[in-house]
Amino acid sequence: MSTINGSATFKLGNRVVKRLGYGAMQLAGRGVFGPPKDHDAALAVLREAVASGVNHIDTADFYGPHVTNQIIREALAPYRDDLVIVTKISARRGADGSWIPALSREELTQAVHDNLRNLGLDVLDVVNLRSMFNVHHPAEGSIEAPLTVLAELQRQGLVRHIGLSNVTPAQIEEGRRICDIVCVQNYYNLAHRGDDALIDDLARQSIAYVPFFPLGGFTPLQSDTLNSVARRLDTTPMAVALAWLLQRSPNILLIPGTSSLIHLRENITAAALTLSENELSELDGIAH
């Protein structure tokens, strides 16, 4: 079994995590809704991820809903002392699987308690508030009201650390006036580079940046350049895309998601992959 035990780390709140983690989103059914197609396979993926050295798992109770958190608990509880589970709140699911903003005080409070119950925890390590002004990408608007509620839940001892997701630089600055922000989770990958300046700014402030869809989401990144570099290195395009992210900035924490053991093992190889300056330059051209 390949491991990431020798890989680089970064501080997330008061915890130190391996920079290659795991995202649980794809453990739910089609469209992140309902139970997985293969429950036993979902358990196996989680257990192998942790056995390989992963100690940062990203989830949300609205995945399923409730499904991924319940699978995480079944697969991994009682949890290893070094395991950091990060979740997010501010959405709920409609009966048709739609994504609905859930930002009232009552909804946010219930979401924290749902995460605690379904994960089997007394306190959540990190909770990301996801901005919902636009479901698909960051959009301006004040996050003061919902973030103030989350900060109150932190003071009650239900949440250790707070992060932000799907946010703009202005919202991050607004958030930091309300509470400490330990991570930002936005859409970013080799081909989608809109947060380049933001990543560098957060790195200077020792704030983790966690790109979601680091491999392009449910439609994997496709690039002749990516394929060419992977062939030369005798590895997979997805491993190259993850390795590029790891070398992009030391504050980047990866959470590639998969429901496949084969893909999990391929992703883990990225932790030991080093790209040359020429290869990095070649890959940088994909975004242009």
Side-chain angles (χ1 to χ4, degrees):
M1 178 191 298
S2 297
T3 73
I4 61 167
N5 289 330
S7 65
T9 61
F10 193 79
K11 198 167 185 180
L12 183 56
N14 65 344
R15 308 288 295 277
V16 175
V17 298
K18 306 284 178 53
R19 291 183 57 216
L20 182 59
Y22 174 78
M25 184 181 192
Q26 294 189 36
L27 293 183
R30 185 179 179 86
V32 202
F33 196 67
K37 181 179 179 181
D38 188 333
H39 185 86
D40 289 343
L43 297 176
V45 166
L46 280 165
R47 288 168 178 159
E48 180 155 328
V50 171
S52 299
V54 167
N55 65 350
H56 169 206
I57 292 178
D58 181 83
T59 186
D61 206 63
F62 50 74
Y63 293 164
H66 316 307
V67 169
T68 61
N69 280 355
Q70 291 169 353
I71 292 173
I72 289 170
R73 181 178 184 177
E74 181 181 353
L76 302 178
Y79 302 112
R80 282 183 4 187
D81 290 342
D82 69 332
L83 182 64
V84 177
I85 299 177
V86 178
T87 188
K88 64 188 73 64
I89 60 174
S90 77
R92 60 184 177 86
R93 307 301 294 278
D96 60 350
S98 56
W99 304 82
I100 303 168
L103 291 157
S104 71
R105 174 177 294 273
E106 293 74 21
E107 289 171 317
L108 294 168
T109 302
Q110 184 62 54
V112 165
H113 284 282
D114 286 345
N115 276 282
L116 287 167
R117 182 184 65 255
N118 286 313
L119 288 168
L121 293 169
D122 296 321
V123 57
L124 300 170
D125 281 315
V126 183
V127 176
N128 288 318
L129 177 75
R130 192 180 201 281
S131 174
M132 294 292 285
F133 291 103
N134 186 298
V135 174
H136 302 293
H137 57 76
E140 295 295 356
S142 176
I143 60 172
E144 179 180 2
L147 188 57
T148 297
V149 174
L150 183 52
E152 291 173 2
L153 294 166
Q154 182 185 39
R155 287 192 290 273
Q156 292 172 24
L158 300 177
V159 175
R160 287 196 180 95
H161 302 287
I162 292 174
L164 298 173
S165 178
N166 198 42
V167 286
T168 68
Q171 288 165 336
I172 295 168
E173 288 308 306
E174 180 185 35
R176 296 187 71 196
R177 292 193 292 270
I178 297 168
C179 62
D180 287 338
I181 301 298
V182 302
C183 59
V184 171
Q185 190 180 92
N186 276 0
Y187 177 32
Y188 182 85
N189 56 46
L190 184 56
H192 189 277
R193 303 279 298 278
D195 272 358
D196 269 337
L198 176 61
I199 290 170
D200 295 337
D201 183 52
L202 294 174
R204 287 188 287 270
Q205 301 171 68
S206 298
I207 296 174
Y209 183 90
V210 188
F212 60 75
F213 295 154
L215 297 176
F218 291 95
T219 302
L221 288 169
Q222 300 291 329
S223 163
D224 289 340
T225 300
L226 189 60
N227 292 338
S228 175
V229 172
R231 282 195 298 271
R232 295 201 303 269
L233 296 175
D234 192 25
T235 187
T236 67
M238 298 301 96
V240 171
L242 293 175
W244 179 87
L245 284 165
L246 289 172
Q247 289 181 233
R248 167 64 183 81
S249 182
N251 66 323
I252 288 181
L253 302 180
L254 298 187
I255 50 167
T258 180
S259 58
S260 159
L261 279 172
I262 292 174
H263 291 158
L264 172 70
R265 291 163 185 163
E266 291 175 351
N267 292 343
I268 284 172
T269 65
L273 188 60
T274 300
L275 303 173
S276 70
E277 289 300 321
N278 286 340
E279 288 156 353
L280 291 171
S281 178
E282 191 175 350
L283 292 166
D284 279 339
I286 290 175
H288 306 299

